[in-house]
Amino acid sequence: MGRRERFFHEIMSLNPEVTGSCHQVVVHFPDGRATNFVVDCGQYQEEAYNYRNKEKFPFDPEKIEFVLITHNHADHMGRLSQLVKEGFKGKIYVTTETEKLIITALRDAFKIMKEDTKKHNEKMLYSENDLEETISRITPCDFNETNYIDRNIKVIFLMNGHMLGASMIRVQISYPGEEDMCISFTGDYKPNNIFFEVEEIPQWIYDEPTEIVVESTYGYMNSTEVKYHMEDDIENATKAGKTILMPVFAQERAQGMLFMLKCMQSTGKISKRIPIRLDGSLAQEYTKLYMASELLKKFNKNDFLPENFEFISKENREMILANEDQQIILTTSGMMDHGPAQIYLERYVERRDVLIYVPGYTAPDTLGYKLQHPNSKNQVVINGKEYYINAQVLTTNEASGHAKADELIALLQRFKNPILIFVNHGRKDVLQLFAQRVEKEVTAAKRVEILGEHTFVCNHYGYVKHMGSKLFKAMTKNEKLRKKEKKKKCFVKKPRSMQKSYHNYSSRF
Ligand SMILES: [Zn+2]
Ligand SMILES: [Zn+2]
């Protein structure tokens, strides 16, 4: 094998689909050294994949030298404490804005995991010590600054409109006498944000050859297909005297909706006399962090609370529920399965003078989804009890934090030399569809692949070869094993060789 071929990296992804984002990269240097790192370490949120959150990582966390986190969403950072528990000893690099938010998220994740495992009489996935250890590893980085991770690896966090603190990450791998290898991770991507101006990516970054890992959540539709009707829906409902119940995600969606309501108040679309309230302790905590955010202050957007607004505490919740006067209530969780949302739903779903407005994505099987797809009797089950859906239920995707296919293509087209594009983070059918579109429309791309199915070996020219689907096979094996376990209803010890075969595999190359 020639000298050049000895400078290469392997890249693999734990899940090609929308949640559980986690990419492992193993860099091999000509002097025989190897560096392992991970980009994002997220939870699986699809019901069907939930069991994977409880499994060990299919790589050795002790060998991972550092972790880069694109943004503070559970499907990108929710398993960090588990990684530490399993032996990860390095630093966790995040943006300065994310640093302030991620500690709240990690503590909340611990609380939920503790309650969950207790409820199901299971072993905790990690301890409070592991949580504190994880927090101590968080290392903030400013946007557009070059961070020298070690003598061969430089990392730059680039601004991204997906949410406060969100980034695109560019990793540059160097070795004396060799051409650099670059990998750019889009993370979840959006070109703009309502709270801040997204800083332009420096032109030199677009000019240099790079491998790109791109998300594809909305890879099936164009931004021109988005219909904007949210303000009208809310205006019509309030003018008809209805109370509005809005399930929101704790970070970004809750604050974004409050900001929208404030704007509607100032344009006279809704009356300032209608009280606006927010329930959910995590959403309230994030709201306070947004109000204190330096970045929002820079854009004069930290004062986003509407008039006649209050937080709902556990103590005054019952009083508010009993009050039948018109009001607008925002509550977590966004898909209505957790948080106080169900308490409100039980009281509001049979009321004809209520609009339930779902301003975001709801995964199948969640309560938010079932409300939009009721059974033949127009009923929904909440906490084991059937309720008729008399309230009006409306939804929109206009508040989404993701770029649509045309916007993702426009981003990719700005890169002068995308030597290899990996499509990731999309529904199975969307991954294919979007990859085909990238192949056709991003003419500078030398090659387009879906990341997750195979482990790829790449050098600075791009793709060298794929190594089959070791990781995928390991997972499928795990799934089969799990089904078997379920069938037998007895505990089957997982053979060690299954994990081992994966660990050893990179050293075989
Ligand atoms: Zn996200
Ligand atoms: Zn995501």
Side-chain angles (χ1 to χ4, degrees), residues 119-136:
K119 202 164 107 189
H120 296 110
N121 210 6
E122 289 168 347
K123 224 177 114 201
M124 291 225 296
L125 297 172
Y126 55 91
S127 69
E128 194 154 5
N129 277 348
D130 299 321
L131 164 73
E132 294 306 328
E133 184 64 43
T134 308
I135 290 171
S136 74

Side-chain angles (χ1 to χ4, degrees), residues 267-312:
T267 53
K269 282 190 151 195
I270 53 171
S271 162
K272 289 176 185 169
R273 285 198 308 274
I274 305 168
I276 298 171
R277 297 177 167 123
L278 174 65
D279 203 342
S281 55
L282 187 60
Q284 293 175 0
E285 217 170 303
Y286 279 132
T287 301
K288 288 173 196 159
L289 289 171
Y290 267 54
M291 288 161 74
S293 158
E294 291 300 323
L295 189 68
L296 263 59
K297 271 183 198 158
K298 200 171 128 189
F299 293 99
N300 277 328
K301 290 281 173 62
N302 56 313
D303 186 16
F304 56 86
L305 293 186
E307 283 183 48
N308 202 357
F309 169 78
E310 67 173 341
F311 288 139
I312 301 173

Side-chain angles (χ1 to χ4, degrees), residues 9-13 23 183-186 210-216 412 419-425 431 434-435 438 447-452 454-458 462-466:
H9 64 272
E10 295 162 77
I11 182 164
M12 58 207 87
S13 189
H23 316 294
I183 320 173
S184 305
F185 297 87
T186 68
T210 184
E211 210 172 292
I212 304 170
V213 180
V214 62
E215 71 125 325
S216 58
L412 295 173
I419 52 173
L420 176 57
I421 297 179
F422 286 120
V423 176
N424 189 267
H425 210 53
L431 287 167
F434 185 63
V438 173
R447 197 176 180 111
V448 182
E449 293 285 345
I450 290 167
L451 186 62
H454 305 287
T455 299
F456 290 87
V457 177
C458 318
Y463 168 94
V464 178
K465 63 173 172 177
H466 74 67

Side-chain angles (χ1 to χ4, degrees), residues 70-76 162-163 187-189 401-402 425:
T70 58
H71 66 288
N72 188 41
H73 266 154
D75 63 319
H76 293 258
H162 177 60
M163 74 196 298
D188 286 353
Y189 176 76
H402 290 268
H425 210 53

Side-chain angles (χ1 to χ4, degrees), residues 229-396:
H229 49 77
M230 181 159 58
E231 288 201 8
D232 290 343
D233 293 341
I234 289 168
E235 184 183 3
N236 293 338
T238 52
K239 290 198 168 142
K242 288 185 178 178
T243 277
I244 299 174
L245 177 66
M246 201 186 278
V248 287
F249 297 114
Q251 192 198 333
E252 191 89 3
R253 188 60 46 79
Q255 297 76 32
M257 290 299 110
L258 289 173
F259 183 43
M260 179 202 65
L261 292 168
K262 181 190 170 84
C263 296
M264 288 182 74
Q265 281 180 339
S266 62
T267 53
K269 282 190 151 195
I270 53 171
S271 162
K272 289 176 185 169
R273 285 198 308 274
I274 305 168
I276 298 171
R277 297 177 167 123
L278 174 65
D279 203 342
S281 55
L282 187 60
Q284 293 175 0
E285 217 170 303
Y286 279 132
T287 301
K288 288 173 196 159
L289 289 171
Y290 267 54
M291 288 161 74
S293 158
E294 291 300 323
L295 189 68
L296 263 59
K297 271 183 198 158
K298 200 171 128 189
F299 293 99
N300 277 328
K301 290 281 173 62
N302 56 313
D303 186 16
F304 56 86
L305 293 186
E307 283 183 48
N308 202 357
F309 169 78
E310 67 173 341
F311 288 139
I312 301 173
S313 63
K314 261 188 185 164
E315 292 69 41
N316 65 3
R317 185 183 290 149
E318 192 45 50
M319 204 177 72
I320 282 157
L321 276 162
N323 179 355
E324 294 209 353
D325 292 344
Q326 187 179 24
Q327 51 182 328
I328 299 174
I329 291 177
L330 282 67
T331 181
T332 54
S333 67
M335 301 193 199
M336 306 195 100
D337 271 355
H338 307 279
Q342 298 185 25
I343 302 172
Y344 288 92
L345 208 53
E346 282 183 295
R347 304 280 277 266
Y348 285 3
V349 72
E350 294 197 329
R351 273 175 57 179
R352 292 187 191 280
D353 63 340
V354 167
L355 165 67
I356 299 166
Y357 203 75
V358 187
Y361 173 77
T362 47
D365 290 338
T366 59
L367 200 46
Y369 183 90
K370 285 176 191 157
L371 272 180
Q372 297 164 59
H373 306 87
N375 64 20
S376 55
K377 290 189 280 175
N378 197 33
Q379 282 177 328
V380 68
V381 179
I382 311 164
N383 288 327
K385 213 178 140 199
E386 285 183 333
Y387 293 87
Y388 283 100
I389 306 173
N390 294 330
Q392 185 186 14
V393 181
L394 291 174
T395 184
T396 180

Side-chain angles (χ1 to χ4, degrees), residues 115-219:
E115 285 167 8
D116 240 41
T117 47
K118 201 173 165 192
K119 202 164 107 189
H120 296 110
N121 210 6
E122 289 168 347
K123 224 177 114 201
M124 291 225 296
L125 297 172
Y126 55 91
S127 69
E128 194 154 5
N129 277 348
D130 299 321
L131 164 73
E132 294 306 328
E133 184 64 43
T134 308
I135 290 171
S136 74
R137 307 277 176 80
I138 302 285
T139 310
C141 304
D142 285 337
F143 284 118
N144 290 348
E145 292 285 313
T146 303
N147 302 280
Y148 296 84
I149 306 293
D150 61 32
R151 64 190 154 111
N152 300 102
I153 298 179
K154 284 183 277 192
V155 168
I156 303 183
F157 287 86
L158 302 159
M159 219 190 228
N160 169 350
H162 177 60
M163 74 196 298
L164 181 61
S167 63
M168 263 178 64
I169 300 179
R170 179 181 189 272
V171 183
Q172 188 175 347
I173 308 155
S174 316
Y175 192 83
E178 302 283 350
E179 298 268 359
D180 284 358
M181 293 190 288
C182 269
I183 320 173
S184 305
F185 297 87
T186 68
D188 286 353
Y189 176 76
K190 199 182 179 189
N192 49 6
N193 188 287
I194 53 163
F195 287 112
F196 56 88
E197 257 172 54
V198 179
E199 240 173 82
E200 274 289 315
I201 293 174
Q203 187 57 43
W204 68 268
I205 285 180
Y206 286 127
D207 291 345
E208 293 207 345
T210 184
E211 210 172 292
I212 304 170
V213 180
V214 62
E215 71 125 325
S216 58
T217 313
Y218 282 88

